[in-house]
């Protein structure tokens, strides 16, 4: 991140001799001069590091005087088997953006402009050390001018590995399915024109392909939705600038920082009612996911584009991984897009856009990928070398070494061969980068997860010690790890599905745990569901089970369900055919959503709960009654009261949220009384629900609890691997 040139400049300023280099241990520098000069250097060194630099630790040692007569930047030193950090991909910096817009600059309108402070990193890196021959830029020998910049310590592009210009670097082309229509600057102008004309484009980006169309063009967005067969799952947007975003969404200071930061994630923001964005972008949602341009090409697309926002959704069919190879374009993208904006810089590792939201003035991860991966999580303690496989949905994997947890980028739902292949590829890649040879493999207890089978294989073939970790214990350990919490805590894990130690499906859990183990203090009362897998996509089945359980005979929503279907489910429930008992919080939300007639069938994960949160009326304070009987948190009375409140669904939705928060708080108070523990960790995918999170965190802090939340790691299953690794480490240490 321009660290060595900065040290070089600083050394010259204080007239010091010596050297600086990147080594596997970090940055190593030797400085030689008078005591006052050295002291002045060190003061400045500590006080004003470059903006992107993050210094974890500074180790100092006094050395006998040497022979140095000048200060030099030496080449990187990589010791075999040693560990180096791999930088994530960074959004274009202001200086490069100025070059891009300056007609007198040789990089004017050049879509691959970058420097030491910005540009592609992880996505183009094939092996370490991070030097040009190890990146996909090896195919583009630098011209004399670029090479001069690259070798000049005073230049912003000193050792900028992807350094390029129009004379020597990659270029873009615009094509339809049959032929190339334009290249270089003309290609981007044509792409803009086609977007204006309502066409759907496949655009090759930094870590993969996007599908794009004008987000205010309703017909275009609907056509894209139809082609992707993605039904209602929200599309991400890219907006021209901050002012455009502020026209569509409510943006506060923390959101502004996240949007404009160097990592440029998609930020989930409250949408302004009746904004110009097509309602087909995020049906049934009150939030929009928006990001700002992060590559020079994105900026060029928006310049005089005549559109304020583009849909920028990962180019893939339904749940397959994002398309990233040029060879896949014909097969996989021809059916989806009308035109193609391509370039010839290869993507080595695919990296999706990251997704965050803002809570309590802080960025909170939902999907951790571009700009974040593979930056390590500093655990603040040394851990064994472990591979943690993650879960089934929103999978990520984790390798540990030293005091670092290295989380992969978002891999996806482990439900098809493509995602499995990506998982294995990512593991191999990260093991090579970080020189990690795990001695143990941690996995979820669910016997049918693909990741469980992978762990079993690794035990058999590689002799790794295999450690099964309970799903919700892993969620809480993940929250503990990123907050560096030690000792015992109360863990509140609220999510959809996690395999329990009793073989049932858990998901509304109050635990007492540390890394070494957990005790289940309380959980949502078990309810039997009919046809576990079908039920997830058909919340009416779930609602029927919860209604019968609560003694409701004829809930109103059933009028929308055929008598025959209803009978099938009732028979299954009566006879216990293909039923599964669950304490899931997510299923309770699904049930209430259907009970209120909001969502009887879903077409993406979490839809029923998301739409229930979206309609919840503000300003409603009271909860419904619930029972807390021993270890069972019983919502039968809640269900009966929801069913009696059908004529005011927005109020019922708010009261229901309040009830779940109140039940969690009450259960935590009892646990405090019984155990003396007053630190609570909140985790699990249901806490992506901001209404529930706000309400729960608020009542717990009002009661005097210290509450820990996720920020760097997602609360959903994308954060599981971190917890699995910490628990495995604790087991190995015994
Ligand atoms: Zn730059
Ligand atoms: Zn050049
Ligand atoms: Fe989970």
């Amino acid at each position: 991140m321009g660290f060595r040139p900065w040290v070089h400049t600083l050394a010259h300023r204080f007239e010091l001799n010596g050297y600086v280099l990147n080594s596997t241990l970090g940055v190593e520098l030797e400085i030689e001069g008078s005591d006052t000069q050295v002291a002045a250097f060190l003061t400045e060194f500590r006080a004003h590091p470059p903006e992107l630099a993050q210094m974890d630790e500074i180790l100092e040692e006094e050395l006998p005087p040497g022979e140095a007569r000048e200060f030099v930047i030496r080449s990187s030193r990589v010791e075999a088997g040693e560990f180096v950090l791999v930088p994530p991909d960074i959004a274009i910096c202001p200086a490069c953006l100025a070059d891009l817009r300056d007609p007198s600059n040789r990089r004017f309108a050049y879509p691959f402009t970058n420097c030491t402070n910005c540009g592609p990193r992880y996505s183009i890196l094939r092996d370490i050390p991070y030097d040009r021959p190890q990146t996909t830029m090896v195919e583009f020998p630098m011209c004399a001018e670029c090479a001069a910049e690259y070798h000049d310590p005073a230049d912003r592009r000193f050792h900028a590995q992807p350094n390029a210009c129009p004379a020597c670097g990659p270029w873009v082309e615009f094509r339809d399915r049959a032929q190339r229509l334009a290249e270089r600057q003309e290609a981007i102008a044509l792409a803009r024109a086609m977007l204006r004309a309502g066409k759907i484009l496949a655009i090759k980006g930094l870590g993969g392909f996007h599908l794009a169309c004008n987000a205010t063009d309703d017909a275009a967005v609907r056509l894209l939705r139809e082609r992707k067969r993605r039904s209602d799952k929200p599309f991400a947007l890219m907006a021209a600038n901050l002012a455009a975003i502020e026209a569509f969404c409510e943006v506060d200071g923390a959101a502004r920082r996240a949007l404009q930061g160097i990592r440029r994630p998609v930020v989930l923001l409250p949408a302004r009612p009746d904004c110009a964005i097509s309602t087909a972008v995020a049906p049934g949602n009150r939030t929009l996911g928006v990001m700002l341009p992060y590559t020079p090409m994105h900026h060029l697309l928006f310049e005089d584009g005549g559109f304020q926002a583009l849909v920028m959704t990962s180019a893939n069919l339904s749940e397959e991984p994002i398309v990233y190879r040029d060879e896949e374009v014909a097969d996989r993208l021809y059916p989806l897009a009308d035109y193609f904006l391509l370039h010839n810089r290869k993507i080595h590792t695919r990296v999706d856009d990251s997704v965050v939201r803002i809570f309590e003035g802080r960025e909170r991860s939902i999907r951790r990928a571009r700009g974040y991966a593979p930056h390590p999580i500093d655990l603040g303690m040394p851990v064994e070398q472990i591979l943690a496989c993650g879960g089934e949905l929103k999978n990520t994997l984790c390798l540990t070494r030293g005091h670092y947890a290295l989380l992969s980028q978002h891999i996806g739902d482990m439900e098809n061969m493509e995602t499995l292949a990506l998982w294995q590829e990512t593991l191999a890649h990260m093991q090579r980068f970080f020189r990690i040879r795990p001695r143990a493999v941690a996995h979820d207890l669910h016997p049918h997860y693909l990741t469980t089978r992978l762990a079993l294989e690794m035990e058999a073939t590689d002799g790794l010690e295999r450690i099964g970790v309970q799903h919700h214990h892993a969620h809480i350990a993940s929250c503990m790890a990123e907050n560096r919490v030690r000792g015992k805590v109360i863990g509140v894990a609220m999510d959809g599905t996690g395999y329990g130690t009793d073989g049932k499906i858990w998901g509304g859990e109050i635990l007492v745990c540390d890394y070494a183990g957990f005790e289940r203090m309380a959980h949502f009362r078990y309810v039997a569901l009919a046809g576990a897998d079908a039920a997830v996509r058909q919340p009416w089945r779930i609602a029927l089970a919860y209604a019968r359980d609560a003694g409701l005979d004829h809930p109103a929503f059933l009028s929308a369900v055929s008598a025959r279907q209803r009978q099938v489910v009732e028979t299954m429930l009566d006879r216990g055919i293909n039923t599964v008992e669950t304490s899931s919080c997510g299923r309770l939300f699904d049930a209430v959503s259907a009970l209120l007639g909001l969502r009887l069938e879903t077409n993406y994960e979490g839809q029923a709960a998301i739409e229930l949160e979206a309609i919840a009326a503000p300003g409603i304070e009271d909860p419904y009654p619930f029972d807390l009987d021993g270890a069972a948190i019983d919502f039968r009375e809640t269900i009966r009261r929801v069913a009696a409140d059908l004529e005011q669904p927005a109020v019922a939705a708010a009261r229901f949220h309040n009830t779940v928060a109140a039940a969690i708080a009450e259960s935590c108070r009892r646990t405090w009384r019984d155990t003396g523990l007053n630190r609570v960790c909140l985790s699990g995918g249901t806490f992506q629900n901001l209404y529930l999170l706000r309400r729960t965190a608020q009542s717990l802090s009002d009661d005097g609890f210290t509450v820990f939340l996720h920020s760097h790691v997602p609360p959903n299953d994308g954060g599981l691997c971190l917890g699995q690794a910490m628990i495995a480490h604790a087991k190995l240490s015994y």
Side-chain angles (χ1 to χ4, degrees):
M1 300 300 185
F3 196 80
R4 289 169 306 158
W6 170 71
V7 172
H8 184 264
T9 311
L10 208 59
H12 274 267
R13 200 165 107 205
F14 294 104
E15 294 170 355
L16 295 161
N17 298 327
Y19 67 86
V20 59
L21 60 77
N22 280 335
S23 83
T24 39
L25 300 171
V27 175
E28 194 178 306
L29 59 125
E30 213 174 288
I31 49 171
E32 190 171 338
S34 76
D35 285 352
T36 45
Q37 283 167 317
V38 170
F41 173 91
L42 285 175
T43 307
E44 186 62 20
F45 182 84
R46 288 171 194 281
H48 301 112
E51 199 189 337
L52 300 187
Q54 179 192 322
M55 289 198 261
D56 289 338
E57 201 178 9
I58 302 172
L59 298 173
E60 268 177 59
E61 192 185 356
E62 206 157 315
L63 300 168
E67 309 280 284
R69 292 289 169 266
E70 55 175 353
F71 194 90
V72 292
I73 298 178
R74 288 197 190 158
S75 50
S76 312
R77 198 175 65 215
V78 175
E79 265 121 274
E82 278 301 342
F83 176 85
V84 285
L85 295 180
V86 173
D89 303 289
I90 297 295
I92 182 172
C93 73
C96 285
L97 197 54
D99 288 352
L100 188 74
R101 288 174 173 161
D102 174 6
S104 70
N105 191 288
R106 67 192 191 93
R107 289 191 178 83
F108 176 63
Y110 179 58
F112 302 94
T113 303
N114 69 84
C115 73
T116 9
N117 295 319
C118 73
R121 300 286 188 271
Y122 182 51
S123 62
I124 60 165
L125 191 56
R126 300 188 302 190
D127 203 350
I128 57 163
Y130 172 55
D131 282 327
R132 191 171 179 106
Q134 307 278 29
T135 72
T136 60
M137 283 301 290
V138 68
E139 294 174 22
F140 302 95
M142 275 184 276
C143 67
E145 270 181 284
C146 285
E149 294 164 343
Y150 183 90
H151 292 293
D152 176 5
D155 195 279
R156 201 173 91 238
R157 296 190 167 91
F158 175 72
H159 282 201
Q161 307 306 345
N163 188 28
C165 78
C168 66
W171 45 277
V172 291
E173 66 165 346
F174 187 78
R175 54 178 302 134
D176 62 14
R177 296 185 188 95
Q179 60 193 323
R180 177 187 297 168
L181 301 173
E183 53 182 61
R184 300 177 196 256
Q185 290 196 32
E186 255 173 67
I188 290 175
L190 206 47
R192 278 195 295 253
M194 290 307 171
L195 286 165
R196 258 198 313 273
K199 300 297 181 190
I200 295 171
L201 267 60
I203 299 177
K204 186 176 176 186
L206 190 62
F209 284 81
H210 284 113
L211 290 170
C213 69
N214 183 352
T216 56
D217 183 336
D218 205 50
V221 179
R222 283 178 202 283
L223 181 62
L224 174 56
R225 203 165 267 296
E226 216 169 277
R227 287 197 193 157
K228 268 198 98 179
R229 274 177 255 134
R230 187 184 213 193
S231 45
D232 293 332
K233 198 167 178 179
F235 288 143
L237 301 177
M238 182 178 281
N241 47 46
L242 197 62
I245 298 180
E246 284 170 338
F248 311 138
C249 299
E250 290 162 35
V251 186
D252 64 8
R256 211 166 288 134
R257 279 193 298 282
L259 284 164
Q260 295 181 301
I262 56 171
R263 304 173 192 282
R264 292 288 153 99
V266 173
V267 183
L268 301 183
L269 296 167
R272 293 193 188 281
D274 308 315
C275 73
I277 298 294
S278 160
T279 53
V281 165
N285 239 284
R286 277 219 295 224
T287 59
L288 288 172
V290 198
M291 60 188 150
L292 285 172
Y294 54 85
T295 69
M297 192 165 83
H298 296 150
H299 282 281
L300 295 172
L301 262 181
F302 277 104
E303 233 137 82
D304 313 313
F307 34 78
Q308 286 299 293
L310 295 173
V311 166
M312 277 289 220
T313 181
S314 301
N316 54 5
L317 252 187
S318 57
E319 303 306 321
E320 288 176 3
I322 187 169
V323 175
Y324 78 112
R325 280 161 54 220
D326 301 325
E327 306 85 82
E328 298 174 294
V329 171
D331 272 2
R332 298 180 64 190
L333 299 186
Y334 277 11
L336 298 175
D338 304 311
Y339 295 97
F340 307 84
L341 183 59
L342 310 177
H343 64 71
N344 59 346
R345 186 179 70 202
K346 288 202 180 89
I347 299 169
H348 186 72
T349 297
R350 61 193 128 186
V351 196
D352 282 274
D353 294 317
S354 294
V355 182
V356 306
R357 67 199 161 131
I358 306 298
F359 183 70
E360 291 180 341
R362 279 182 72 183
E363 201 180 286
R364 313 279 173 173
S365 183
I366 297 282
R367 182 168 76 188
R368 197 173 176 276
R370 177 184 49 77
Y372 298 84
H375 193 75
I377 309 281
D378 189 344
L379 300 167
M381 62 185 261
V383 287
E384 298 281 345
Q385 293 196 10
I386 292 161
L387 161 65
C389 297
E392 184 89 335
L393 298 179
K394 302 181 171 67
N395 179 281
T396 58
L397 64 85
C398 168
L399 287 163
T400 52
R401 174 169 180 165
H403 55 285
Y404 290 129
L406 296 137
L407 273 66
S408 74
Q409 72 275 30
H410 165 81
I411 293 174
D413 297 347
M414 298 284 281
E415 290 175 331
N416 51 59
M417 291 315 289
E418 286 76 11
T419 317
L420 172 64
L422 176 57
W423 191 94
Q424 286 170 318
E425 206 176 280
T426 306
L427 173 61
H429 208 53
M430 287 179 58
Q431 273 193 267
R432 190 164 66 246
F433 279 178
F434 301 117
R435 316 290 199 223
I436 295 176
R437 297 182 66 89
R439 60 175 275 213
V441 54
H443 64 92
D444 195 90
L445 290 179
H446 201 301
H448 299 146
Y449 278 7
L450 213 47
T451 42
T452 301
R453 271 186 272 161
L454 290 167
L456 283 161
E457 261 171 47
M458 282 182 263
E459 179 186 39
T461 57
D462 305 330
L464 294 185
E465 188 167 337
R466 187 173 58 81
I467 299 168
V469 178
Q470 201 280 322
H471 189 97
H472 301 98
H473 186 201
H475 271 308
I476 301 304
S478 172
C479 181
M480 291 171 69
E482 71 160 299
N483 289 291
R484 299 192 189 177
V485 174
R486 311 271 183 269
K488 277 193 159 64
V489 299
I490 301 174
V492 177
M494 295 288 145
D495 72 356
T497 299
Y499 197 79
T501 49
D502 56 2
K504 294 174 182 176
I505 300 300
W506 295 7
E509 311 300 315
I510 313 290
L511 311 176
V512 158
C513 63
D514 53 18
Y515 294 128
F518 74 95
E519 193 184 341
R520 198 182 188 201
M521 304 303 286
H523 59 87
F524 289 12
R525 191 177 146 276
Y526 283 126
V527 174
L529 302 183
D533 292 335
V536 173
R537 300 220 167 249
Q538 297 186 306
W540 69 264
R541 288 168 172 258
I542 302 169
L544 181 54
Y546 278 80
R548 281 167 47 111
D549 180 60
L552 292 173
D553 283 334
H554 299 286
F557 74 90
L558 280 176
S559 60
V561 175
S562 83
R564 208 188 59 82
Q565 278 190 304
R566 171 188 181 170
Q567 209 188 355
V568 169
V569 173
E570 285 184 330
T571 308
M572 287 168 79
L573 290 171
D574 285 340
R575 303 199 189 144
I577 303 164
N578 190 19
T579 58
V580 52
E581 283 189 84
T582 185
S583 58
S584 163
C585 181
R587 294 300 87 80
L588 180 66
F589 272 79
D590 291 344
V592 170
S593 186
L595 212 53
L596 291 172
L598 205 58
R599 190 41 69 188
L600 300 187
E601 313 241 342
T602 62
N603 50 51
Y604 69 91
E605 197 219 347
Q607 186 179 15
I610 286 168
E611 294 184 8
L612 185 65
E613 180 189 2
I615 68 152
I620 305 291
E621 291 303 320
D622 54 320
Y624 291 119
F626 61 90
D627 285 307
L628 197 49
D629 183 15
I633 306 171
D634 180 346
F635 292 104
R636 280 178 294 183
E637 181 60 18
T638 313
I639 292 286
R640 290 190 285 268
R641 300 289 286 268
V642 168
D645 256 352
L646 294 187
E647 71 290 349
Q648 43 175 0
V651 173
R655 283 192 182 135
F656 167 70
H657 279 79
N658 298 346
T659 314
V660 174
I664 291 169
E666 176 57 24
S667 190
C668 286
R669 280 192 293 271
R670 291 191 187 191
T671 308
W672 184 354
R673 201 184 55 211
D674 295 346
T675 63
L677 299 171
N678 70 346
R679 296 185 302 169
V680 184
C681 288
L682 302 183
S683 189
T686 306
F687 282 119
Q688 292 171 118
N689 180 321
L690 280 186
Y691 188 119
L692 182 69
L693 180 64
R694 188 170 293 125
R695 188 90 189 182
T696 307
Q698 189 61 53
S699 43
L700 287 171
S701 8
D702 287 351
D703 284 342
F705 286 97
T706 305
V707 183
F708 296 97
L709 309 176
H710 284 281
S711 53
H712 302 295
V713 173
N716 58 46
D717 286 6
L720 271 185
C721 60
L722 175 60
Q724 291 173 345
M726 295 305 283
I727 292 164
H729 168 75
K731 300 222 156 125
L732 290 174
S733 311
Y734 268 91

